Amino acid sequence: MRFATMAEAFANIGEDFSLTPFDTILQPLLEETLQEQGHHKWRKGTILIPKVLVWLVLVLTLRRDLNYDKALNWMLSGLRWLTELLPAHHKIVEDGAISHARVKLGVSVFQVLFAKLVARLRPLPADFHGRSSVVFDGSTGTMPDTEANRDAFGQPPARRGAAAFPQVRLMALLGVAHRVLLAVAYAPYSGKGTGERALLLHLLTQLGCQGLLFLLDAGLYSVELLWHISQRHGEFIVKMPAQAQPKLRQRLPDGSWLAELTGKVQDPTRPPAANGRRHWQTVTLTVRIIRIEIPGFRPFRLLTNLVDPSISAREIALHYHRRWDIEIAYDEIKTHQCATLRGQSPTTFRSKRPDLVKQEVYALAIMYNLIRALIRQAAEAHAQDPCAISFLDTLQHLIDAAPLLTACPPEERAQKCQTLLRVIADCVLARSRRPRCNPRVIKVKMSNWPCKNATHKSETRDIVKELKIIDVQP
């Protein structure tokens, strides 16, 4: 049945619309969130009702290569071509309607929806001696160069003035086993309280650390951070900066050392003084130090509160390599999920208003987690490792299938979704990431790294055999 106007079509399909195959996970959470936020009856009788609008905002982070109108047309293309429910009009809504509706909807719906989705995807599987590995790391995201975005987020300095685009500073917590974003925070690029450590401490106050093993880079090292993790019954492995000098106490049979790490942290029992000055207390942590050597790299030290001698130093050193999974996740999001076509602004976010950029941060995290959840389902159903399935290939299959599955009759939808999961499970990476090692070179000479040439090829290295635990110098 074809309706004469878009309003008539949406009056019949809008209330029941959901984007398959993501709806099985998200749709109940979406309806619950809209009910709690009081938006379930908002804009009733119009085309962009909240349920459709939320799905559209999520689609905008999936189809970064399309503008607003084309993204909406793609989302509804199955209903246009397979069921012919939509009238033969190219434009579904008027210019500016989507932006106006996004502003009215706000950020909190997506913030709450992200939190509910993370809770739905937990508990995390244990991947290291009964602990679930998680990784904190920061990144930045570019956005359109508008005055509002510049005022809200700022621009990085450059040799000649400032960078081309404003940037938002991002901090994320990634669950390693299934590569799921567990928490996100954002701040202006620069200013007091906007650094990665400040965002990390902000996220820690919202987390329960019991059973979590934090893998941290040397740039995030601080006694205060490690103390907070320990006080919340979490555990950590962090790369030690050269200036850190704990006091060595006892050498263990595997070549590692027990040591004491002393530093100052803010005293939680004493509020700041009237002039804003904070009160500090001296704390001491019992830690373990492991010095590692890999051929071709400088030796480095790891610091951990995993002092159980049944966990060997070698196991800890090899497991720390999983910290790089968050870099892979950032690459999947910023390079592939947010990919643009030539002639388009090559920015991570598309929004020209700061409030919509914040909305987009959570929408981007939600959509990434939905894709990762489908990869996990496919991997579990077909005995595959979810981290060995290609994100890029999966993304392309989802883009091809989503409009068709959305318009598919309900009695056929389950079977076709199972077919999609089989296709995703078959998207195994041709070369496993773990043994792969690439030379540290660049294509365009912009730094001190050598330029890439024909001699620079990927090679396979057996880090398990090459890694050595060497004695810490007293």
Side-chain angles (χ1 to χ4, degrees):
M1 175 182 180
R2 177 177 292 176
F3 296 97
T5 65
M6 288 291 179
E8 290 179 0
F10 274 80
N12 284 269
I13 67 176
E15 290 292 338
D16 298 324
F17 180 82
S18 61
L19 187 66
T20 309
F22 307 107
D23 56 344
T24 55
I25 303 171
L26 195 68
Q27 190 71 4
L29 305 178
L30 173 56
E31 293 175 353
E32 180 183 308
T33 301
L34 292 176
Q35 185 82 24
E36 292 174 357
Q37 298 277 313
H39 289 311
H40 57 294
K41 295 182 179 179
W42 184 60
R43 295 177 62 90
K44 196 170 184 180
T46 63
I47 293 176
L48 294 175
I49 61 174
K51 190 181 297 186
V52 173
L53 183 58
V54 170
W55 280 115
L56 175 57
V57 174
L58 297 178
V59 163
L60 291 174
T61 68
L62 182 69
R63 298 304 310 270
R64 181 66 181 83
D65 55 320
L66 302 179
N67 63 24
Y68 282 11
D69 291 332
K70 291 180 179 178
L72 181 57
N73 264 291
W74 172 83
M75 186 173 79
L76 301 173
S77 59
L79 301 176
R80 182 189 295 277
W81 300 112
L82 295 183
T83 63
E84 297 186 1
L85 289 176
L86 300 184
H89 302 313
H90 168 68
K91 237 179 193 350
I92 297 178
V93 296
E94 296 297 323
D95 292 340
I98 295 175
S99 295
H100 178 73
R102 286 185 61 194
V103 172
K104 295 286 287 183
L105 186 60
V107 180
S108 62
V109 169
F110 295 89
Q111 190 173 10
V112 173
L113 188 58
F114 172 71
K116 288 180 180 293
L117 177 60
V118 170
R120 169 72 171 77
L121 299 177
R122 297 185 77 168
L124 301 176
D127 61 343
F128 187 74
H129 291 273
R131 299 156 178 87
S132 301
S133 302
V134 294
V135 187
F136 267 123
D137 206 2
S139 185
T140 58
T142 54
M143 64 196 75
D145 185 18
T146 64
E147 184 177 354
N149 283 343
R150 288 196 300 271
D151 292 342
F153 298 107
Q155 292 172 272
R159 286 186 177 182
R160 299 179 180 178
F165 299 102
Q167 291 188 15
V168 57
R169 191 174 298 281
L170 302 170
M171 176 60 68
L173 177 67
L174 181 82
V176 170
H178 295 145
R179 212 168 286 159
V180 173
L181 293 176
L182 303 174
V184 293
Y186 55 85
Y189 182 83
S190 60
K192 187 175 181 180
T194 63
E196 291 186 354
R197 291 185 190 177
L199 291 176
L200 194 157
L201 288 171
H202 171 70
L203 286 177
L204 270 182
T205 60
Q206 307 171 18
L207 293 173
C209 299
Q210 182 77 39
L212 298 184
L213 174 61
F214 292 85
L215 309 179
L216 305 170
D217 187 54
L220 298 176
Y221 171 88
S222 75
V223 175
E224 184 178 16
L225 168 62
L226 303 183
W227 174 257
H228 279 296
I229 292 175
S230 298
Q231 291 300 295
R232 288 173 170 78
H233 307 288
E235 292 165 308
F236 57 81
I237 308 173
V238 60
K239 187 176 180 181
M240 289 178 60
Q243 66 271 21
Q245 297 296 333
K247 294 180 180 179
L248 303 180
R249 294 303 184 198
Q250 179 187 351
R251 188 184 188 279
L252 300 179
D254 58 9
S256 62
W257 280 76
L258 291 180
E260 289 183 352
L261 182 65
T262 302
K264 291 184 177 181
V265 301
Q266 187 176 355
D267 189 348
T269 63
R270 301 176 64 188
N275 59 2
R277 185 176 180 179
R278 296 185 293 175
H279 299 284
W280 300 86
Q281 62 177 345
T282 301
V283 297
T284 300
L285 287 171
T286 300
V287 294
R288 185 178 182 182
I289 301 176
I290 305 167
R291 193 161 184 253
I292 299 165
E293 184 179 64
I294 299 175
F297 299 90
R298 295 177 181 176
F300 61 94
R301 299 175 298 170
L302 295 180
L303 185 146
T304 177
N305 60 348
L306 293 171
V307 296
D308 184 354
S310 66
I311 306 176
S312 70
R314 186 175 185 81
E315 287 180 286
I316 294 172
L318 290 172
H319 186 68
Y320 179 73
H321 191 62
R322 296 300 302 271
R323 191 199 73 78
W324 290 98
D325 279 35
I326 195 168
E327 305 294 351
I328 297 173
Y330 278 137
D331 173 73
E332 291 170 344
I333 293 172
K334 296 172 69 174
T335 306
H336 302 303
Q337 187 177 337
C338 294
T340 57
L341 298 176
R342 291 183 179 180
Q344 293 180 319
S345 178
T347 56
T348 308
F349 302 105
R350 68 168 79 222
S351 303
K352 297 181 179 180
R353 292 173 50 118
D355 53 340
L356 298 187
V357 171
K358 297 172 184 178
Q359 184 188 85
E360 206 172 340
V361 168
Y362 289 107
L364 194 63
I366 291 169
M367 182 52 71
Y368 179 77
N369 279 353
L370 289 175
I371 297 172
R372 274 288 157 196
L374 289 173
I375 291 176
R376 175 181 177 179
Q377 287 182 9
E380 291 176 347
H382 299 278
Q384 297 283 4
D385 178 6
C387 292
I389 293 178
S390 170
F391 180 87
L392 180 59
D393 291 344
T394 299
L395 183 66
Q396 187 58 56
H397 286 304
L398 289 173
I399 289 174
D400 292 342
L404 304 178
L405 293 176
T406 299
C408 186
E411 60 272 13
E412 301 177 15
R413 196 171 297 163
Q415 180 182 353
K416 292 188 180 298
C417 285
Q418 290 302 314
T419 301
L420 175 63
L421 292 181
R422 286 198 296 272
V423 172
I424 292 174
D426 193 51
C427 296
V428 179
L429 292 167
R431 296 182 298 157
S432 178
R433 286 193 178 96
R434 286 299 155 208
R436 203 188 317 166
C437 181
N438 294 301
R440 303 193 76 174
V441 292
I442 56 176
K443 290 184 177 180
V444 180
K445 185 65 176 175
M446 294 293 288
S447 69
N448 293 329
W449 293 106
C451 280
K452 186 176 182 180
N453 56 47
T455 64
H456 296 121
K457 303 290 185 180
S458 294
E459 59 183 34
T460 300
R461 296 186 60 175
D462 192 343
I463 301 298
V464 175
K465 290 184 178 180
E466 294 182 2
L467 185 143
K468 296 179 181 179
I469 305 298
I470 57 179
D471 199 1
V472 178
Q473 297 299 322

